[in-house]
Amino acid sequence: MAKSLKGRSLLCLKDFTKEELEEFIFQGEKLKIDYYAGKKEKLLDGKTIAVLFEKPSTRTRISFAVAIHELGAFPLILETSNLQLVRGETVPDTAKVMGRMVQGIVARVFAQKTLEELAEFSGVPVINALSDFSHPCQALGDFLTIKEKKGKLQGIKLTYLGDGNNVANSLLIGGSILGLDVSLGCPKGFEPAKEVIDMALHFAKKSGSKIEITNDPAEAAKNADVLYTDVWASMGQEAEHDKRVAIMKPYQINSSILSHAKEDAIVMHCLPAHRGEEITDEVLDGPHSVVFDQAENRLHIQKAILSLLI
C-alpha cells in the first residue's frame, strides 16, 4: 500500500501524480483478481464509512456500499434530505461532527466547494463520488477498464463526444496525467472550461500526451482506440434537455461515427444511457461495447480508492 496516499482525500485527479493514479489502478486490478478468486481482504475491518448523497445514484451507491462492506467496514448511507443540512446547519459543522464518528466520507454532491469543506473540517479522508465539476472515481474506473481491454494507457487515443461535463473534465485531466491522447468533440459553447483545458495541456507537456478539443465529431473520432460518451443533460439540467438534444445530435455515437475509429475500438458510457440520444442501441449492445464491464469496474476501483486512502 502506498504510504503517501493514506489519509489523503480524493477531490480531483489534478491533485495526484501519474504514479499515484497508477497505484489506484494497480490496486483495482489486484482486488478484482482477489474478487474472482473468492478472496475478500478485510482491509477496512471495524471502520465506518459515511456515504453522503445530494444526488440520485445507481452505480455509485451500489458499488460503494458493496465495496465498503466487502472490505470489512460498515457503509453508513446518508441522504442530505434527511440531515440537518436541509434546516440550515452548515457543511463545516456537519463535517466536524461526522469526522468524530466515522473514518472516511464518500460524498455525491452538486458543488465542488461542499467536498472541499467536508475535507477541510472533518479531519478524515473525503472521496468525491461526483460533483458538478468532476467525477474522479468514474474516470479511475474507466482507466482501469481501458488498461484491461487495451493492455496499456500510454499512447491510447480516448475520444469523448458530447457535453463537456464533469466526466469529460476528469477524463481530460486524468488522461493527460497518465499519458493518454484525449480528443474531445463538443458543440460550440459546450466545451470544458478553459481552466480545465489549460490544466490538461499543462499535464500533457509532462506526460507526452496529445490534447485535442474540436467541434467536429468525425475528426475527434478519427483513429480512436476508445469512443466515450455521457448523457447530454446532466442532473440539474433537465429543463435544457430538448435544446441540448437538438444541438448535440451530430455527436451521437452510432455506426457512422464508429467507422472513423480503429477497427478494434471499444465503446464506453458511464451510464445511465439515454438510448437513441447520445448512443444507439446498435452500438451500446454491439461487439465494440464494454459498457457493462466498465460499470462492474466501479466496484473494484472503489475498493482500491477506499483501501489506499483510508
Side-chain angles (χ1 to χ4, degrees):
M1 187 179 292
K3 287 182 182 176
S4 61
L5 292 174
K6 190 171 176 61
R8 289 175 63 182
S9 291
L10 172 58
L11 306 185
C12 181
L13 297 182
K14 70 178 177 60
D15 301 323
F16 295 83
T17 65
K18 179 182 180 183
E19 292 71 28
E20 288 167 342
L21 295 185
E22 288 173 339
E23 180 72 17
F24 285 121
I25 295 164
F26 175 79
Q27 180 80 337
E29 291 172 319
K30 177 184 177 296
L31 293 175
K32 185 171 184 177
I33 291 168
D34 289 348
Y35 178 81
Y36 279 102
K39 288 195 252 174
K40 292 179 183 175
E41 295 185 64
K42 303 295 185 182
L43 299 173
L44 297 180
D45 192 32
K47 298 185 186 298
T48 298
I49 311 298
V51 191
L52 188 65
F53 290 97
E54 275 186 354
K55 290 185 171 189
S57 171
T58 298
R59 278 145 296 278
T60 297
R61 183 184 296 264
I62 295 168
S63 60
F64 266 114
V66 174
I68 291 165
H69 169 71
E70 292 192 353
L71 288 170
F74 174 69
L76 178 63
I77 309 295
L78 301 168
E79 311 287 345
T80 56
S81 58
N82 294 327
L83 299 180
Q84 295 292 345
L85 283 166
V86 296
R87 298 183 63 243
E89 184 169 30
T90 66
V91 172
D93 285 354
T94 302
K96 288 173 187 175
V97 172
M98 291 175 73
R100 293 183 178 219
M101 301 183 186
V102 302
Q103 286 71 57
I105 300 170
V106 176
R108 184 178 176 91
V109 299
F110 286 95
Q112 187 77 8
K113 185 172 185 289
T114 301
L115 294 160
E116 292 166 1
E117 290 184 335
L118 285 171
E120 181 181 354
F121 293 99
S122 69
V124 298
V126 171
I127 296 166
N128 177 0
L130 178 143
S131 72
D132 287 349
F133 176 71
S134 69
H135 201 348
C137 296
Q138 177 68 53
L140 284 171
D142 296 337
F143 296 134
L144 170 61
T145 305
I146 294 167
K147 190 178 176 198
E148 190 175 77
K149 301 299 180 183
K150 293 296 179 182
K152 63 176 185 176
L153 293 174
Q154 189 86 29
I156 289 291
K157 182 178 178 181
L158 166 61
T159 292
Y160 175 97
L161 297 178
D163 182 31
N165 60 14
N166 48 6
V167 172
N169 288 346
S170 289
L171 292 173
L172 195 55
I173 294 167
S176 62
I177 294 170
L178 287 163
L180 288 86
D181 297 333
V182 186
S183 180
L184 262 65
C186 307
K188 282 186 180 175
F190 291 88
E191 303 92 344
K194 185 178 182 298
E195 65 170 306
V196 175
I197 296 170
D198 288 347
M199 208 182 292
L201 290 170
H202 168 75
F203 291 131
K205 281 182 185 174
K206 186 174 180 182
S207 69
S209 75
K210 298 169 189 166
I211 302 300
E212 176 188 40
I213 312 293
T214 177
N215 304 124
D216 183 341
E219 180 62 29
K222 188 177 179 182
N223 294 322
D225 296 290
V226 183
L227 282 181
Y228 194 120
T229 192
D230 190 8
V231 294
W232 289 337
S234 298
M235 283 175 280
Q237 297 172 335
E238 289 80 5
E240 301 173 29
H241 176 264
D242 292 348
K243 175 188 168 188
R244 284 171 168 262
V245 168
I247 293 169
M248 296 193 192
K249 200 168 181 181
Y251 298 82
Q252 181 188 72
I253 294 187
N254 49 37
S255 55
S256 175
I257 283 291
L258 188 55
S259 71
H260 294 280
K262 289 182 180 174
E263 283 187 22
D264 64 347
I266 59 173
V267 173
M268 303 178 73
H269 191 309
C270 54
L271 300 177
H274 288 173
R275 290 168 175 262
E277 289 185 9
E278 71 274 4
I279 192 167
T280 61
D281 285 346
E282 178 187 15
V283 174
L284 184 57
D285 298 323
H288 294 272
S289 174
V290 298
V291 168
F292 294 101
D293 291 339
Q294 175 189 2
E296 180 198 325
N297 279 340
R298 289 293 303 281
L299 170 63
H300 308 301
I301 205 68
Q302 317 297 36
K303 283 184 178 179
I305 293 164
L306 290 159
S307 63
L308 289 171
L309 298 180
I310 300 172

